[in-house]
Amino acid sequence: MITWDLVVVGAGPAGLCAARVAAARGVRTLVLDRATHPRYKTCGGGLIGTSLSAVAGRIEVPAHDRVDRVTFTRDGRRGFTRRHRTPLVTMVRRDEFDDRLRGAAVTAGAEVREGVAVRGLDQDPDGVRVRLADGTTVHARTVIGADGSAGVTSRHVGVRFRQVDLGLERELPVPPAEQERWRGRLLLDWGAVPGSYGWVFPKGGSLTVGVIAARGDGERTRAYLRDFVDRLGLSGVEPEHDSGHLTRCRADDAPLRRGRVLVVGDAAGLLEPWSREGISYALRSGTLAGAAVAAGDPERYERDVRDQLVPSMRAGHRLLEVFERRPDVFHGLLATPAGWTMFVRFCQGRASFDTALARPPVRAALAVLDRVPPIRPRRPGVGARALTDLRG
């Protein structure tokens, strides 16, 4: 009976980064995933500078566009476009991007088994038994869970979520004239549903068009997507994919580990709360977990996440609260040089929200906004006090 040093459950960015780091350091690593690469994944596919840094020198990023222009609108109105001299976001298709990460993990020495579903985990003092759908068991000294926020490993560890959002997305093939219209430019629209926004991400021959809002008002979110696509003049385009998913952001005190099982990426609820950007958190948390396992110090992973990822997430929650209360003010601030500079620095990975929100002028502005009554109701079913405690 083989006992693996590490079994990674889930072959997305978080799990594959963990596997690559651990295997490269001599850890005998097995990756299990129920899907088979390359596979479609509901995701905007925009890589910010933080994500590009995390994979630099490890894979060749399969870019379909590099965006240097951003158009902002407020529910389809008050639009303006800003341009930067260098690219801000790199657009990828997740099937290609994830497959490159799989190749990097295999090159580092990890074994990847696809089409394998994990049904449960059992721990004892010596290791973890990973129970598979076919009735067999895989034995591991340590497990890293990267199978999503609704996956087996997240439930096993007991991750709790503060914020749950519904994202809806369509992949739309478009003709050459429409491709040229969007080349090098993305659109962000701040929606009428509190805390919502929509996006258009160009990817060569297609556009990724989507919206996201708090779970609990699904019909308004679906209506937002329909209206958004119609405003863009794309309602007659037959989508290649029409999908949805829930994004879940962890509670501040939620566990990241239970015994020999660690969770990373979506399984740990690690993402940026305002933008719901999760790829950079997946890449970074997977890297941190793989390094901690290779060092024989799983507790180090918990410390590293608290030190390196949690501060930005707390700032993101603060930013989302302001956005929910005053979306028009938020839209206006992005039109100012200071607001645009902060957005650019975030996209390029040169600054995090926690450092930006710590600046005295920003703190003062937020304090003023806190005293201004909201111009529209908060999220459905969420009271003012509960906003800082629980979402979804």
Side-chain angles (χ1 to χ4, degrees):
M1 181 179 62
I2 297 174
T3 297
W4 295 85
D5 295 330
L6 171 64
V7 169
V8 178
V9 181
L16 292 170
C17 275
R20 180 193 57 77
V21 170
R25 301 184 186 186
V27 178
R28 190 172 188 185
T29 302
L30 172 66
V31 182
L32 305 174
D33 196 283
R34 63 181 180 181
T36 300
H37 286 271
R39 79 284 189 270
Y40 176 77
K41 175 74 173 179
T42 303
C43 177
L47 301 187
I48 60 175
T50 307
S51 298
L52 295 175
S53 297
V55 299
R58 296 170 177 87
I59 67 168
E60 181 181 350
V61 175
H64 285 268
D65 206 337
R66 288 184 170 86
V67 166
D68 60 9
R69 288 169 293 142
V70 183
T71 297
F72 300 96
T73 56
R74 172 68 175 106
D75 199 21
R77 305 181 303 277
R78 297 170 54 192
F80 62 91
T81 300
R82 294 289 180 267
R83 185 169 192 164
H84 196 262
R85 63 184 181 277
T86 58
L88 300 175
V89 183
T90 297
M91 299 299 173
V92 299
R93 303 181 196 276
R94 279 291 304 277
D95 54 349
E96 298 172 351
F97 180 68
D98 291 10
D99 200 40
R100 297 284 177 91
L101 294 174
R102 181 199 59 79
V106 171
T107 299
E111 179 177 328
V112 178
R113 295 181 190 171
E114 300 178 315
V116 178
V118 173
R119 289 290 181 257
L121 305 174
D122 300 300
Q123 294 196 55
D124 59 38
D126 297 322
V128 185
R129 295 185 302 280
V130 182
R131 291 183 278 110
L132 307 182
D134 64 3
T136 62
T137 300
V138 174
H139 296 259
R141 292 186 175 86
T142 305
V143 167
I144 291 179
D147 52 341
S149 58
V152 169
T153 62
S154 185
R155 295 195 301 272
H156 179 83
V157 170
V159 180
R160 299 182 305 279
F161 302 101
R162 165 180 178 170
Q163 173 181 328
V164 184
D165 295 285
L166 171 64
L168 303 174
E169 187 173 272
R170 295 179 186 176
E171 294 284 347
L172 303 177
V174 292
E178 201 71 20
Q179 296 172 29
E180 189 59 34
R181 176 191 172 202
W182 288 101
R183 193 183 311 280
R185 178 171 69 98
L186 66 82
L187 168 66
L188 295 176
D189 176 77
W190 318 120
V193 181
S196 69
Y197 76 93
W199 63 86
V200 178
F201 285 177
K203 297 175 183 175
S206 65
L207 300 175
T208 299
V209 180
V211 301
I212 195 164
R215 182 184 63 175
D217 202 351
E219 184 48 47
R220 286 186 72 191
T221 305
R222 287 187 286 272
Y224 178 23
L225 177 61
R226 289 193 299 269
D227 294 344
F228 185 46
V229 171
D230 188 55
R231 286 202 306 261
L232 294 167
L234 299 171
S235 57
V237 178
E238 184 68 25
E240 293 177 336
H241 298 281
D242 189 347
S243 59
H245 70 290
L246 293 176
T247 66
R248 297 176 173 89
C249 188
R250 68 188 294 270
D252 203 43
D253 60 347
L256 296 164
R257 179 177 68 93
R258 177 183 170 190
R260 295 173 176 268
V261 179
L262 294 68
V263 284
V264 296
D266 288 344
L270 294 169
L271 55 82
E272 197 288 300
W274 167 62
S275 66
R276 290 79 157 187
E277 189 279 320
I279 296 178
S280 73
Y281 283 83
L283 297 170
R284 288 179 290 170
S285 64
T287 299
L288 294 174
V293 170
D297 184 8
E299 293 182 1
R300 182 176 115 183
Y301 169 65
E302 298 171 291
R303 296 192 300 270
D304 287 345
V305 169
R306 286 196 298 266
D307 293 344
Q308 300 181 36
L309 303 183
V310 168
S312 290
M313 293 180 66
R314 288 173 177 164
H317 282 297
R318 182 77 173 99
L319 194 62
L320 179 60
E321 290 174 7
V322 175
F323 177 54
E324 288 178 320
R325 288 173 56 86
R326 303 293 300 183
D328 290 284
V329 173
F330 191 94
H331 181 65
L333 286 173
L334 283 169
T336 67
W340 172 241
T341 297
M342 187 180 87
F343 182 84
V344 167
R345 289 174 63 83
F346 167 73
C347 289
Q348 294 186 328
R350 295 163 50 207
S352 58
F353 286 144
D354 55 310
T355 58
L357 268 58
R359 297 177 57 201
V362 177
R363 290 205 311 268
L366 292 177
V368 171
L369 289 173
D370 282 341
R371 294 194 291 270
V372 179
I375 62 173
R376 60 179 72 252
R378 291 179 182 265
R379 291 184 167 205
V382 181
R385 180 175 180 179
L387 268 175
T388 58
D389 301 323
L390 181 65
R391 297 189 185 278

